[in-house]
């Protein structure tokens, strides 16, 4: 029997929305779905390496690089961000309740063979280069997304 | 013939987005779908009782409780909130056009047997307890969501 | 063989989210899907004509009209809007990378027979009239949406 499929477009660059995306992705993978997360626009930030990677880029691309959070752990909240206080509070209660922080959820997804894809078109727009993103991810565009999603049982835009 | 299914993850705590979620849910129920709304993160606020419920909780949980809107009627807008002016304007035009306010949409959903589910993991994180949420709702986690959504014709994340 | 179907609810009035919606819609249409975009709430602004259209309306409706962006090109970003600087930056890099601006993506969608629908209920709420919206679009409510989406392979809420 063919495996069920789940696809998620992660457009958002918010810590809480990315958490929701990865919790659903890991849940679906645990239920034996083939799972794909397409990171596009601000969602690409979840795939950035924490350390600065020396790459050549233009002025605008450098500005985007500076203004956007470098990696999952640096992302803000969609609500009650309070200049960074909100994420600290959330991480504190997550720790208390033994909930996995976002970088661990991403690791778990990779261990469960969730396919993490970076949208090449928006990488170009935001000036992000492969060297700046996590290893072992894939690169694709909207055509690949349509191909996957049209066979998916669960397709979400987050 | 098996009933069609609609599932909605209501992540957002915005009045307008919750309205959209409940309008779609009620529409699908009217077309004889089995409908489930999973309230997670800020979407849990739509399920809070309006009155304060005396429960024991820690300091962080108390802070979240105070900062988050108590019930559907207190939620803000995703756009043009203007410190609460936006919701007043929207409610005024809704009244003029006989559109149902959010608390009525939630009541209607319950009357139409839309299954309202509160996500237990994010209830823990935000320190919300069952006593603080509406009666006659259900409690579940991501596994239950995957089980429902993989059989759904319409699955949305709002 | 019946055509595959994609439906998108465009709730958001953000330039970047509307771009994502129209890129997916155009991609799905290129893969021979029947595609529908339901514009509701702030997403209606993507359908507004750029020029002011003289119509009679009440005070509240006039206020909404003034406060909301007139057409796709005037919309802001969901992140890093910086009072309008963000959209300028994004449009500049889009131009550099030959990416289509939103108004062109909307034109392309119309050429590819993507069905653009304006939600009549929220048009009423926001006081938008048919004369103010693009030509050659359709008008419908939640019932039509459910009818389309329950047969869709890809259904997204953006």
């Amino acid at each position: 029997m063919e495996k069920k499929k789940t696809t998620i477009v992660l457009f958002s660059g918010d810590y809480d929305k990315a958490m929701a995306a990865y919790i659903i992705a890991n849940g679906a993978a645990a239920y034996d779905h083939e799972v794909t997360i397409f990171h596009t626009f601000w969602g690409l930030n979840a795939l950035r390496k924490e350390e600065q990677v020396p790459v050549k880029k233009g002025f605008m691309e450098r500005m985007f690089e500076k203004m956007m959070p470098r990696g999952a752990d640096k992302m803000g909240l969609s609500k009650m961000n309070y200049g960074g206080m909100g994420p600290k509070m959330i991480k504190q209660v997550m720790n208390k309740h033994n909930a996995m922080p976002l970088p661990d959820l991403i690791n778990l997804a990779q261990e469960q063979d969730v396919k993490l894809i970076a949208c090449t078109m928006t990488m170009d727009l935001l000036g992000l280069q492969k060297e700046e993103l996590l290893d072992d991810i894939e690169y694709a565009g909207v055509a690949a997304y349509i191909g996957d999603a049209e066979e998916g049982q669960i397709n979400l835009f987050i």
Side-chain angles (χ1 to χ4, degrees), chain A:
Chain A
M1 204 179 81
E2 224 179 318
K3 274 193 167 194
K4 295 201 167 171
K5 289 197 172 90
T6 291
T7 74
I8 295 173
V9 177
L10 181 56
F11 172 96
S12 165
D14 300 317
Y15 191 93
D16 44 349
K17 286 195 161 180
M19 260 188 76
Y22 272 91
I23 289 171
I24 294 171
N26 283 322
Y31 279 80
D32 212 33
H33 283 219
E34 253 180 62
V35 186
T36 309
I37 308 180
F38 288 82
H39 299 71
T40 187
F41 282 90
W42 322 106
L44 286 169
N45 290 317
L47 297 179
R48 287 177 75 183
K49 289 178 185 153
E50 284 198 32
E51 71 271 18
Q52 180 140 23
V53 180
V55 285
K56 270 185 85 167
K57 50 175 85 176
F59 175 73
M60 291 294 269
E61 288 79 3
R62 190 66 71 193
M63 273 186 76
F64 275 117
E65 179 196 314
K66 298 288 182 209
M67 293 186 304
M68 298 189 305
R70 200 155 68 220
D73 194 47
K74 302 284 198 310
M75 290 155 74
L77 292 183
S78 67
K79 283 273 164 198
M80 307 206 308
N81 193 52
Y82 300 124
M85 265 304 294
K88 286 209 184 100
M89 283 178 64
I90 282 282
K91 286 173 196 171
Q92 210 172 314
V93 292
M94 282 169 58
N95 187 40
K96 182 173 157 186
H97 291 282
N98 296 313
M100 271 192 181
L102 182 53
D104 293 4
L105 289 168
I106 297 175
N107 281 343
L108 177 61
Q110 290 196 299
E111 281 168 23
Q112 291 201 96
D113 290 324
V114 171
K115 206 164 36 162
L116 305 187
I117 298 184
C119 165
T120 47
M121 193 209 86
T122 46
M123 281 176 66
D124 274 359
L125 287 189
L126 301 178
L128 291 170
Q129 299 178 23
K130 290 186 182 183
E131 293 84 349
E132 299 175 87
L133 302 186
L134 297 184
D135 300 323
D136 300 319
I137 63 171
E138 297 180 31
Y139 298 88
V142 66
Y145 168 69
I146 301 294
D148 270 8
E150 71 181 17
E151 300 190 338
Q153 276 68 42
I154 308 179
N155 299 313
L156 304 173
F157 184 99
I158 297 185

